[in-house]
Amino acid sequence: MKKESKKIQGIPVICWGESSKKVILAFHGDQSYKEDTVIQILAETATKKGYQVWSFDLPEHGDRKAEDYPLNPQNVTADADKILVEIGRQAESISLFGCSIGAYFAMMACQNKKIDQSFFLSPIVDMRELIENMLKWSGLTPEDLQREKQIETPFKTLEWDYYTYVAAHPINWTIPTKILYGGEDNLTTRATIERFSEAPQCSLTVFEAGEHFFHTQEQLDFYQEWLENNI
């Protein structure tokens, strides 16, 4: 499979496969990067079906760890806008892939864009709920976060500005979407993913032996089969 590395206004991007009028823009998950295993599997599957896959490093990840450019919805949206302009010069059809927090960022960045379809693995579909749960799991409240402005938890460093932005900008997602969710996901509850998937444009597949992080051979094999059946 052809693999081309380039930079779009300083953003490291990999284009997987031959140039195509059908492009999937891929958003990786937290503590991951643009060549993560799930993105490689996506590229291997999608390119056989005539797509080209573009993946990029989110702020503070991959080749951007040394940059003074924080990971937040505003910055990811700005990055996605720049990449989508380049994709738009080539593609007639644009799809999305998002893993974990990458799915949240994909929705935040592209909810008002012309996107044909999306594929989400273990998506974070309610960021406000997740932040509030992380506070609760740490014995804290949003009022504590407001007072301290930034709190280190066993899960993640939480910031008041990030939380208030998320709360003030709820996602309105109307794009046809296929979701793969692990039955043992410890970040997004079954009730939350089922509620999100009630929308008529959404299709939910649950792999009961899956975790939030699909990493075992059994989980990755199921993920690949899901891609083959849905792309």
Side-chain angles (χ1 to χ4, degrees):
M1 174 175 47
K2 181 180 178 182
K3 192 167 128 183
E4 177 189 359
S5 298
K6 60 183 177 181
K7 286 197 172 182
I8 297 174
Q9 297 188 47
I11 304 164
V13 175
I14 291 182
C15 299
W16 307 76
E18 300 294 334
S19 179
S20 172
K21 296 294 185 183
K22 301 189 299 180
V23 173
I24 299 175
L25 176 59
F27 294 69
H28 65 73
D30 193 28
Q31 306 305 314
S32 184
Y33 69 123
K34 61 186 178 297
E35 296 177 80
D36 183 73
T37 300
V38 297
I39 290 180
Q40 291 184 41
I41 293 172
L42 167 72
E44 289 165 2
T45 306
T47 53
K48 292 176 183 175
K49 300 194 175 193
Y51 289 85
Q52 187 178 47
V53 174
W54 292 34
S55 60
F56 69 105
D57 284 326
L58 294 173
E60 299 182 14
H61 290 74
D63 295 332
R64 308 176 76 185
K65 287 183 178 178
E67 294 179 7
D68 183 19
Y69 188 67
L71 178 69
N72 59 43
Q74 303 96 306
N75 287 342
V76 177
T77 296
D79 289 349
D81 284 347
K82 294 169 186 174
I83 297 169
L84 285 167
V85 167
E86 291 300 312
I87 292 176
R89 295 191 173 107
Q90 166 187 317
E92 295 176 355
S93 171
I94 301 175
S95 304
L96 300 176
F97 171 82
C99 178
S100 186
I101 196 174
Y104 169 76
F105 285 135
M107 289 189 288
M108 179 65 78
C110 301
Q111 59 187 335
N112 297 316
K113 300 287 194 299
K114 188 179 182 303
I115 304 295
D116 290 327
Q117 59 184 337
S118 55
F119 307 94
F120 292 159
L121 172 64
S122 303
I124 302 297
V125 296
D126 190 335
M127 182 61 73
R128 178 176 183 171
E129 178 184 78
L130 177 58
I131 293 171
E132 291 174 353
N133 281 341
M134 287 182 175
L135 287 167
K136 183 166 59 177
W137 297 334
S138 304
L140 301 166
T141 67
E143 289 71 31
D144 295 319
L145 186 58
Q146 181 179 18
R147 184 180 61 255
E148 299 296 330
K149 303 306 179 190
Q150 180 173 300
I151 295 178
E152 296 277 351
T153 75
F155 314 99
K156 195 170 181 63
T157 301
L158 303 178
E159 298 177 353
W160 175 248
D161 287 347
Y162 191 118
Y163 172 72
T164 56
Y165 184 90
V166 165
H169 296 83
I171 289 171
N172 179 27
W173 193 242
T174 60
I175 291 165
T177 299
K178 295 179 179 178
I179 297 169
L180 175 57
Y181 172 84
E184 298 178 21
D185 194 312
N186 61 347
L187 291 183
T188 298
T189 67
R190 179 78 69 106
T192 297
I193 199 71
E194 288 180 347
R195 184 170 60 248
F196 181 85
S197 302
E198 287 174 355
Q201 76 276 9
C202 290
S203 169
L204 174 64
T205 299
V206 178
F207 180 48
E208 294 297 348
E211 302 162 75
H212 182 76
F213 174 39
F214 274 54
H215 64 286
T216 69
Q217 194 59 54
E218 180 188 24
Q219 292 164 356
L220 293 174
D221 287 346
F222 190 94
Y223 162 65
Q224 184 168 10
E225 182 180 358
W226 175 79
L227 287 173
E228 290 171 349
N229 291 335
N230 286 281
I231 292 180

Short mmCIF file of all heavy atoms in Angstrom, two decimals, residues 100 124 129-130 133-134 137 155 184-189 212:
data_model
loop_
_atom_site.label_atom_id
_atom_site.label_comp_id
_atom_site.label_asym_id
_atom_site.label_seq_id
_atom_site.Cartn_x
_atom_site.Cartn_y
_atom_site.Cartn_z
N SER A 100 -12.28 6.77 19.91
CA SER A 100 -12.31 7.33 21.26
C SER A 100 -12.52 8.84 21.23
O SER A 100 -13.48 9.33 20.63
CB SER A 100 -11.02 6.95 22.00
OG SER A 100 -11.07 7.35 23.35
N ILE A 124 -16.18 8.63 22.15
CA ILE A 124 -16.66 9.49 23.23
C ILE A 124 -17.75 10.35 22.61
O ILE A 124 -17.47 11.22 21.77
CB ILE A 124 -15.53 10.38 23.78
CG1 ILE A 124 -14.36 9.53 24.29
CG2 ILE A 124 -16.07 11.30 24.88
CD1 ILE A 124 -14.69 8.62 25.43
N GLU A 129 -20.32 14.66 29.97
CA GLU A 129 -20.61 13.57 30.90
C GLU A 129 -19.32 12.87 31.33
O GLU A 129 -19.15 12.54 32.51
CB GLU A 129 -21.55 12.57 30.25
CG GLU A 129 -21.88 11.36 31.13
CD GLU A 129 -22.75 10.35 30.39
OE1 GLU A 129 -22.21 9.59 29.56
OE2 GLU A 129 -23.96 10.34 30.66
N LEU A 130 -18.40 12.66 30.39
CA LEU A 130 -17.15 11.97 30.72
C LEU A 130 -16.32 12.79 31.71
O LEU A 130 -15.79 12.23 32.68
CB LEU A 130 -16.34 11.70 29.45
CG LEU A 130 -14.98 11.04 29.67
CD1 LEU A 130 -15.12 9.70 30.39
CD2 LEU A 130 -14.25 10.85 28.34
N ASN A 133 -17.91 12.55 35.03
CA ASN A 133 -17.67 11.22 35.61
C ASN A 133 -16.26 11.11 36.16
O ASN A 133 -16.05 10.54 37.24
CB ASN A 133 -17.91 10.14 34.57
CG ASN A 133 -19.39 9.85 34.35
OD1 ASN A 133 -20.22 10.18 35.19
ND2 ASN A 133 -19.71 9.23 33.24
N MET A 134 -15.27 11.63 35.44
CA MET A 134 -13.89 11.59 35.92
C MET A 134 -13.75 12.37 37.23
O MET A 134 -13.01 11.95 38.14
CB MET A 134 -12.94 12.13 34.87
CG MET A 134 -12.73 11.21 33.69
SD MET A 134 -11.53 11.88 32.50
CE MET A 134 -11.41 10.50 31.34
N TRP A 137 -15.46 10.13 39.88
CA TRP A 137 -14.61 8.98 40.21
C TRP A 137 -13.44 9.40 41.11
O TRP A 137 -12.88 8.58 41.84
CB TRP A 137 -14.06 8.33 38.94
CG TRP A 137 -15.13 7.75 38.06
CD1 TRP A 137 -16.37 7.31 38.42
CD2 TRP A 137 -15.05 7.58 36.64
NE1 TRP A 137 -17.07 6.87 37.33
CE2 TRP A 137 -16.29 7.01 36.21
CE3 TRP A 137 -14.07 7.84 35.67
CZ2 TRP A 137 -16.56 6.72 34.87
CZ3 TRP A 137 -14.33 7.54 34.34
CH2 TRP A 137 -15.56 6.99 33.95
N PHE A 155 -7.03 9.82 35.98
CA PHE A 155 -7.41 9.52 34.60
C PHE A 155 -6.80 10.52 33.63
O PHE A 155 -6.27 10.14 32.58
CB PHE A 155 -8.94 9.54 34.47
CG PHE A 155 -9.62 8.79 35.57
CD1 PHE A 155 -10.16 9.48 36.66
CD2 PHE A 155 -9.72 7.41 35.54
CE1 PHE A 155 -10.79 8.79 37.69
CE2 PHE A 155 -10.35 6.72 36.56
CZ PHE A 155 -10.88 7.41 37.64
N GLU A 184 -17.28 -3.94 27.32
CA GLU A 184 -16.58 -3.67 28.57
C GLU A 184 -15.95 -2.29 28.56
O GLU A 184 -15.00 -2.02 29.30
CB GLU A 184 -15.52 -4.76 28.80
CG GLU A 184 -16.12 -6.15 28.94
CD GLU A 184 -15.08 -7.24 29.13
OE1 GLU A 184 -13.94 -6.93 29.54
OE2 GLU A 184 -15.39 -8.41 28.85
N ASP A 185 -16.48 -1.39 27.75
CA ASP A 185 -15.97 -0.01 27.70
C ASP A 185 -16.15 0.65 29.07
O ASP A 185 -17.25 0.65 29.62
CB ASP A 185 -16.76 0.77 26.63
CG ASP A 185 -16.11 2.10 26.26
OD1 ASP A 185 -15.73 2.85 27.18
OD2 ASP A 185 -15.99 2.39 25.06
N ASN A 186 -15.07 1.22 29.60
CA ASN A 186 -15.12 1.82 30.94
C ASN A 186 -15.17 3.34 30.91
O ASN A 186 -15.08 3.99 31.95
CB ASN A 186 -13.91 1.36 31.78
CG ASN A 186 -12.59 1.80 31.16
OD1 ASN A 186 -12.54 2.22 30.00
ND2 ASN A 186 -11.51 1.69 31.92
N LEU A 187 -15.32 3.94 29.72
CA LEU A 187 -15.39 5.40 29.62
C LEU A 187 -16.77 5.88 29.17
O LEU A 187 -17.28 6.86 29.71
CB LEU A 187 -14.31 5.93 28.66
CG LEU A 187 -12.86 5.81 29.13
CD1 LEU A 187 -11.92 6.45 28.12
CD2 LEU A 187 -12.66 6.45 30.51
N THR A 188 -17.34 5.22 28.20
CA THR A 188 -18.69 5.56 27.75
C THR A 188 -19.63 4.45 28.17
O THR A 188 -19.42 3.29 27.82
CB THR A 188 -18.72 5.73 26.21
OG1 THR A 188 -17.86 6.79 25.83
CG2 THR A 188 -20.13 6.03 25.74
N THR A 189 -20.66 4.78 28.92
CA THR A 189 -21.56 3.76 29.41
C THR A 189 -22.43 3.20 28.29
O THR A 189 -22.64 3.84 27.25
CB THR A 189 -22.49 4.31 30.51
OG1 THR A 189 -23.38 5.28 29.92
CG2 THR A 189 -21.69 4.97 31.62
N HIS A 212 -12.73 -0.44 25.91
CA HIS A 212 -12.65 0.88 25.25
C HIS A 212 -11.48 0.88 24.27
O HIS A 212 -11.60 1.37 23.15
CB HIS A 212 -12.48 1.99 26.30
CG HIS A 212 -12.45 3.35 25.68
ND1 HIS A 212 -13.60 3.98 25.23
CD2 HIS A 212 -11.42 4.18 25.40
CE1 HIS A 212 -13.28 5.16 24.72
NE2 HIS A 212 -11.97 5.31 24.81
#
